[in-house]
Amino acid sequence: MFEALETGKHLTEEQFKAQRAELRPALLQAQFDLAERDYPVIIVMGGFDGAGKGAVVHRFSEWMDPRLIETHALWMHSDEEETRPYFWRFWRRLPPRGRAGIMLGNWYQRAAYRAMAGSLDEKGFELAMRRALAFERMLVDDGALVVKLWLHVSRDMQRRQLSYEAPRQHQNPRVPADPEAWWISREAARGEAPPSVAPLPADPEAWWARYPRALEVSERLIRLTDSGEAPWHLIEADDSYYRDVTAAGLLLKAMRNHEPANGGSTRVDKVSAPADPQPTILDAVDLSRRVPRDEYKPRLAKLQARVQDLFWQAHREHRSLVAVFEGWDAAGKGSAIRRLTAAVDPRLYKLVQFAAPTDEERAQHYLWRFWRLLQRDGRATLFDRSWYGRVLVERVEELTPPATWRRAYSEINDFEAQLVEHGCIVAKFWLHISKDEQLKRFKDREAKPHKQHKITDEDWRNREQWDAYALAVEDMVANTSTSDAPWHLVAGNDKKAARLEILELLCEHFESRLGA
């Protein structure tokens, strides 16, 4: 593969200046055009250490408007990042629609370094590549343009670059050719490199000796993650003039020719509930459960004490909880959550509630607003409404095209799988009540002044779509209830019984996973 990138391609200074004169205004115009588009541009820099990735990014910043493009180096991994699922660090840096972002340090890098160091086997490497490819596909399906540039240098050139001894053609000799490689070598030498790169050598000669292994890993990486929607563009990088204008030309071409996967269409096909509704999984929930008043408080106190102990145990084990609460309007989610939080030290959890997305949130992939709120290891994130709005409200209210909410099932499963792989405990609850019970609670809210703020016209409108929502819930459970992140369907006609059942289920879920 890489022998085709060692042919001696180069440009003279005059050729470079002529192409630069064409590329700079064209790239600027492409940026201004992007500002009017409904998708972001994500530039992924890949390649060998010493290939000049940092120098190319510097060219982009020089030739384009720096106010409309942001670079994320991702050299140092803070404890904020290390105590959350791996992709959290990338989600929080994604550019909004209409803007561009450069990932100098990307989602392939950690697995590649570990594979080169011999600390990641082939199975683990392939899993990491599949995860990265799924992440890119999700962004592309949402309309994003993902431009992946791979810079390749010959073995001799890498040796000279990393030794800082090369006659730096067209570059300041005092500046390392690849700041990332310089940082890795420096931090490794001081014993301060993050776990992802610590096994790699600090000595440039040792880096050079690992070049054959780097070739093997890189070729495998490219073959596993090259796709039609986000292909790798391989660039011969020994000559900096050729490297820079080639990278800029590829970026310009991609920005000019991009057609979003979603087509920019907002058309939503009407999805109606069946004329003759059939029983759903919710009909199997036993709504007759009741808890005697004299039993409720003693059982609640015991469960809350148990919950408190489990939250502290999770904190000591550096395990985080992600709990999702969904259900019918007036099903009692709020009161159930209050009984849970009453038992937990406020330092150990964050409760978040979601309604319609803000302008900032609409400018990102729909999962962005959930990823960025995940708490660090040892703390819990409680979601009152969640990412399941994509396959419930957005589906039933026809706010999203069917193709979009249908692919959300796999996107959600992948999201939750990443949480579990990191060590999170994922618990999901759907509070179910009968249609008659909901009507009773709606009327009670309208009749009592201190509850009137809880009832809106939207609640009544949603009630008219009961059968469509029931079908959506059945599909949701069928497609997203997994062994690691199962759905718990809770009977809610009796609020006391529902609160106790949620606490009991949460304790059992916790206990089966803590210490594992």
Side-chain angles (χ1 to χ4, degrees), residues 457-476:
D457 291 339
E458 183 178 349
D459 294 329
W460 288 107
R461 186 172 63 254
N462 291 343
R463 180 176 165 78
E464 294 175 1
Q465 299 271 35
W466 182 279
D467 292 335
Y469 271 106
L471 182 60
V473 171
E474 180 167 73
D475 288 345
M476 175 190 75

Side-chain angles (χ1 to χ4, degrees), residues 77-206:
H77 300 166
S78 67
D79 65 340
E80 283 285 297
E81 295 170 340
E82 296 298 337
T83 57
R84 288 176 171 84
Y86 179 59
F87 276 83
W88 179 82
R89 69 196 65 183
F90 304 114
W91 275 99
R92 65 197 293 259
R93 292 175 169 91
L94 291 177
R97 303 182 197 280
R99 299 288 294 273
I102 301 176
M103 298 297 172
L104 181 56
N106 55 65
W107 33 90
Y108 301 104
Q109 184 169 286
R110 182 174 72 171
Y113 281 152
R114 289 180 173 174
M116 280 185 262
S119 59
L120 184 66
D121 61 18
E122 184 64 20
K123 183 178 179 180
F125 183 71
E126 289 189 5
L127 175 62
M129 295 302 102
R130 286 199 300 271
R131 182 75 72 213
L133 191 60
F135 176 60
E136 289 177 355
R137 184 176 295 114
M138 182 164 49
L139 299 177
V140 170
D141 286 343
D142 196 51
L145 168 60
V146 179
V147 182
K148 300 192 297 191
L149 305 176
W150 184 276
L151 308 186
H152 175 79
V153 288
S154 64
R155 191 179 191 186
D156 287 340
M157 177 58 73
Q158 187 196 49
R159 185 183 193 182
R160 296 200 302 270
Q161 294 279 59
L162 293 178
S163 298
Y164 317 140
E165 295 172 356
R168 301 201 181 282
Q169 186 181 21
H170 325 310
Q171 296 182 22
N172 184 340
R174 295 185 179 181
V175 179
D178 191 330
E180 183 175 358
W182 167 80
W183 174 80
I184 291 171
S185 298
R186 179 179 66 86
E187 296 300 315
R190 294 168 54 187
E192 297 177 5
S196 60
V197 297
L200 293 176
D203 182 2
E205 290 296 321

Side-chain angles (χ1 to χ4, degrees), residues 240-310:
S240 62
Y241 281 167
Y242 176 81
R243 175 198 67 202
D244 293 354
V245 299
T246 302
L250 288 167
L251 175 59
L252 176 62
K253 182 178 179 181
M255 293 179 70
R256 281 178 167 174
N257 297 338
H258 181 57
E259 292 291 338
N262 58 19
S265 172
T266 58
R267 183 178 67 87
V268 180
D269 297 329
K270 186 174 181 61
V271 180
S272 302
D276 184 19
Q278 297 296 311
T280 70
I281 192 171
L282 294 178
D283 294 306
V285 178
D286 182 7
L287 294 175
S288 65
R289 297 177 186 175
R290 296 289 186 273
V291 173
R293 183 181 298 272
D294 59 344
E295 291 183 14
Y296 172 67
K297 287 189 177 181
R299 288 181 58 187
L300 177 65
K302 289 182 180 180
L303 284 169
Q304 287 179 326
R306 189 173 160 196
V307 165
Q308 182 184 46
D309 291 342
L310 288 168

